[in-house]
């Protein structure tokens, strides 16, 4: 072992969702020695189960959480510049019916506040439409009692890839990033402070110890469980997790052209989101007390979402049989103090909190995908403060840089400035160049540019040696075989599920959720990862089990 390898990590971060990935990237960028661990794939927890919105959150405005909205819109604007391939503006339409309270005028004022909190730097300011003009915008909307509609802008993203690009950047900045590595305990020094994290590779069973000065717990819905693992107690559960479900239907069955924000009769908000070939409907928000490793959409969740969509889109007549795929995740919300009145799951605050414990454990809980960079800054600031006051001779005199992630593009946006075009125009130019250069269909080129940004060239280059790699995996969707190889070689995929659920999400978009190609995907991966025939079969079986979980609602 080299002396550098024996040197303890300044920070070992437990949990590689968006929060942990953001923390690892920020800490590595400041010159700290960092390890990032996830018991599964990076982003396999809540961070790939969100509504995939980078937004201020219109609903939080209604709840008076102005700080959350302000921070959300500020981060939205920053991410549109630092990751334009992943954070893209789309129009949202809020239909308002005569029965709605608040009505059109009040929502209009709300949207002025939304625009103002975004310092009037929204992709576009909101607009009001009345009568027949609404029908022209969204022909499938029910018009009975329709008073009008408001259009505003927020952003959609690929949540799993947002995590991945943070992890890749953390690694490029020197962090050790270990997926399928579960923290199983800690070693403490004579003063009770953490001195090492014990970990197990979940794929090989290998055990290891990672010496460290501080631990960050960024374990999302697993926070209380991981606190037990590292021996830290708050005397009460820190979280009140709530379950959120999304369903995916064919776009032709619910042909929305923009995101539609539905104010439901039970005073919630549901989105119908256009996803090119598909439409996504979500989300539910219900208390959850089970095992965070076993979260799935049940029949009631699917019925709830279909019925609400049908209420606003009467011709859709959606039912459980129309659902192609589902995903379910847990919001890692901080348990409110007893008696604060947040009795409904959807009323629990989305704010985050950072706790610093004298054992050298920094815990971050709550929060949103949208504000991950800000949360990471706060966590690393607090961890650095703790490290500097620790009285560790090896740390004395070390200069730790301030957070600069505001200025650093994510990997797929690095080099984009050469196109000398602003955000979305640069991505469109990239797509046009890919389409012309590699003779790719426009939809495929658009997908590559919006997924990999400037890294798309690496994917396409694989087709030069083996042209069949530029064939589509599924004739209906834009994914290419080259992306499977890229997922393993460049994007840290270690299992078939990593590839089909997150890197190339046929599991969410494919009519058969990628089951028919799982065997071929495993074959390609086996050649690169040295799998035996038995391991290949096990991988395919595991993927089928993962798909079965998403179909549990079918009974
Ligand atoms: C239905 C739903 C919709 C949402 N929509 C949005 C949205 O549109 N926009 C938005 O901004 N936010 C949204 N959110 C919130 C957002 O998704 C979450 O706040 C965020 O993803 C949480 O990220 P995280 O990294 O804290 O947790 P996670 O992503 O869950 O990451 C925690 C990680 O810890 C790992 N882990 C657990 N135990 C261990 C261990 N012992 N050792 C190592 N690793 C371990 C897990 O494998 C997991 O990957 C939504 C949430 C839900 C549930």
């Amino acid at each position: 072992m080299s002396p550098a390898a024996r040197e303890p990590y300044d920070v070992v971060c437990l949990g590689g969702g968006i929060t942990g990935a953001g923390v690892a990237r920020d800490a590595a960028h400041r010159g700290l020695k960092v390890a990032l661990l996830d018991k599964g794939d990076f982003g396999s927890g809540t961070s790939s189960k969100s509504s995939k919105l980078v937004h201020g959150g219109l609903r939080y405005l209604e709840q008076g959480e102005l700080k959350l909205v302000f921070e959300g819109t500020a981060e939205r604007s920053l991410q549109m510049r630092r990751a334009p391939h992943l954070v893209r503006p789309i129009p949202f339409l809020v239909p308002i019916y005569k029965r709605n309270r608040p009505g059109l005028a009040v929502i209009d004022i709300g949207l002025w506040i939304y625009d103002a909190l975004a310092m009037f730097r929204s992709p576009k300011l909101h607009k009001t439409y009345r009568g027949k003009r609404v029908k022209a915008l969204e022909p499938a909307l029910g018009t009975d009692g329709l008073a009008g509609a408001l259009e505003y802008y927020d952003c959609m993203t690929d949540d799993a890839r947002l995590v991945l690009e943070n992890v890749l950047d953390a690694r490029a900045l020197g962090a050790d990033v270990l997926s399928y590595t579960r923290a199983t305990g800690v070693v403490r020094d004579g003063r009770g402070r953490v001195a090492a994290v014990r970990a197990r590779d979940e794929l090989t069973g290998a055990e290891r110890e990672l010496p460290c000065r501080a631990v960050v717990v960024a374990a999302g819905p697993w926070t209380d469980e991981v606190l037990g693992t590292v021996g830290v107690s708050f005397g009460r559960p820190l979280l009140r997790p709530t379950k959120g479900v999304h369903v995916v239907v064919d776009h032709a069955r619910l042909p929305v052209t923009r995101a539609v924000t539905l104010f439901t009769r039970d005073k919630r908000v549901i989105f119908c989101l256009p996803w090119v070939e598909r439409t996504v409907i979500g989300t539910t928000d219900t208390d959850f007390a089970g095992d965070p490793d076993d979260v799935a959409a049940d029949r009631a969740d699917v019925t709830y979402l279909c019925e609400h969509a049908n209420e606003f889109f009467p011709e859709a007549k959606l039912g459980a049989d129309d659902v192609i795929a589902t995903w379910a995740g847990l919001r890692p919300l901080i348990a409110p103090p007893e008696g604060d009145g947040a009795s409904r799951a959807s009323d629990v605050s989305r704010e985050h909190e950072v706790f610093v414990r004298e054992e050298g454990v920094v815990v971050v809980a709550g929060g949103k995908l949208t504000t991950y960079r800000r949360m990471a800054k706060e966590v690393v600031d607090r961890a650095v403060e703790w490290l500097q006051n620790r009285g560790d001779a090896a740390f004395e005199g070390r200069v730790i840089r301030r957070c600069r992630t505001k200025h650093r593009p994510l990997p797929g946006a690095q080099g984009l400035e050469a196109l000398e075009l602003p955000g979305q125009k640069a991505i469109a130019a990239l797509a046009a160049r890919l389409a012309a250069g590699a003779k790719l269909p426009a939809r495929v080129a658009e997908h590559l540019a919006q997924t990999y940004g400037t890294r798309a060239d690496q994917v396409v280059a694989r087709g030069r040696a083996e042209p069949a790699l530029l064939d589509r995996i599924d004739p209906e969707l834009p994914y290419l075989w080259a992306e499977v190889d890229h997922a393993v070689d460049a994007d840290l995929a270690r299992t078939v599920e990593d590839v089909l659920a997150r890197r190339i999400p046929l599991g969410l978009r494919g009519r058969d959720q990628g089951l028919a190609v799982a065997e071929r995907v495993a074959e390609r991966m086996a050649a690169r990862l040295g799998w035996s025939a038995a391991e290949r079969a096990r991988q395919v079986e595991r993927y089928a089990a993962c798909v079965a979980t998403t179909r549990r609602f079918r009974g």
Side-chain angles (χ1 to χ4, degrees), residues 14-21 37-55 60 159 163 181-184 218-222 225-226 229 242-246 283-284 327-332 364 366-371 375:
L14 310 184
I18 192 66
T19 311
L37 273 53
D38 199 287
K39 72 179 174 61
D41 184 21
F42 296 116
S44 58
T46 306
S47 298
S48 54
K49 315 285 171 22
S50 78
S51 301
K52 309 186 192 305
L53 302 179
V54 171
H55 62 160
Y60 311 136
D159 49 5
V163 177
T181 303
R182 180 189 292 270
T184 54
W222 290 268
E225 184 185 311
V226 172
T229 303
T242 72
K243 183 174 92 165
V245 167
H246 291 81
T283 170
T284 60
W327 70 82
L330 295 181
R331 298 177 186 82
V364 50
K368 291 168 62 190
L369 189 82
T370 304
T371 45
M375 282 165 65

Side-chain angles (χ1 to χ4, degrees), residues 79-316:
Q79 292 186 47
M80 277 163 58
R81 283 177 278 135
R82 299 290 168 257
H85 58 308
L86 293 181
V87 180
R88 298 186 302 273
I90 62 161
F92 281 67
L93 197 74
V94 197
I96 304 290
Y97 292 83
K98 287 179 187 139
R99 63 164 192 273
N100 282 127
R101 292 291 171 273
L104 198 67
V106 175
I107 308 270
D108 188 22
I109 294 170
L111 281 166
W112 277 119
I113 299 173
Y114 199 62
D115 284 337
L117 286 168
M119 320 275 271
F120 297 101
R121 283 195 301 236
S122 290
K124 279 188 192 170
L125 293 184
H126 83 276
K127 273 191 201 161
T128 307
Y129 295 94
R130 290 176 199 276
K132 285 191 183 131
R133 292 178 70 202
V134 180
K135 188 76 181 159
L137 292 175
E138 280 304 335
L141 258 181
T143 47
D144 202 11
L146 187 66
L150 293 130
E151 186 188 57
Y152 65 100
Y153 276 74
D154 256 324
C155 289
M156 269 198 90
T157 189
D158 174 342
D159 49 5
R161 193 155 284 273
L162 196 62
V163 177
L164 178 67
E165 289 218 356
N166 273 275
V167 175
L168 291 174
D169 207 33
R171 189 177 66 164
L173 291 162
D176 287 335
V177 302
L178 309 167
S179 61
Y180 292 94
T181 303
R182 180 189 292 270
T184 54
V186 287
V187 178
R188 289 172 186 272
D189 66 13
R191 295 165 62 182
R193 300 181 313 189
V194 288
V197 170
R198 287 204 194 93
R200 182 177 61 234
D201 187 313
E202 295 287 271
L203 300 182
T204 64
E207 308 264 355
R208 63 199 292 184
E209 242 177 55
L210 304 159
C212 63
R213 298 189 168 99
V215 166
V216 169
V217 175
W222 290 268
T223 299
D224 284 308
E225 184 185 311
V226 172
L227 287 177
T229 303
V230 300
V232 168
S233 168
F234 284 82
R236 64 177 175 98
L238 210 54
L239 298 188
R240 174 182 170 179
T242 72
K243 183 174 92 165
V245 167
H246 291 81
V247 300
V248 182
V249 299
D250 197 355
H251 184 255
R253 298 286 286 108
L254 190 59
V256 288
T257 57
R258 38 177 62 60
V260 181
T261 306
L262 308 178
F263 286 127
T264 64
R265 285 180 198 273
D266 56 348
K267 303 210 175 313
R268 296 196 51 253
V269 168
I270 290 178
F271 297 110
C272 295
L273 304 165
W275 223 23
V276 195
E277 299 82 3
R278 306 284 177 249
T279 299
V280 178
I281 311 167
T283 170
T284 60
D285 199 349
T286 49
D287 275 313
F288 182 85
D291 176 359
D293 282 308
D294 187 30
V295 188
D298 56 37
R299 190 72 176 193
D301 298 320
V302 172
T303 306
Y304 174 89
L305 292 172
C306 289
E307 281 181 356
H308 276 90
N310 290 338
E311 194 183 321
F312 289 85
F313 298 95
E315 294 307 314

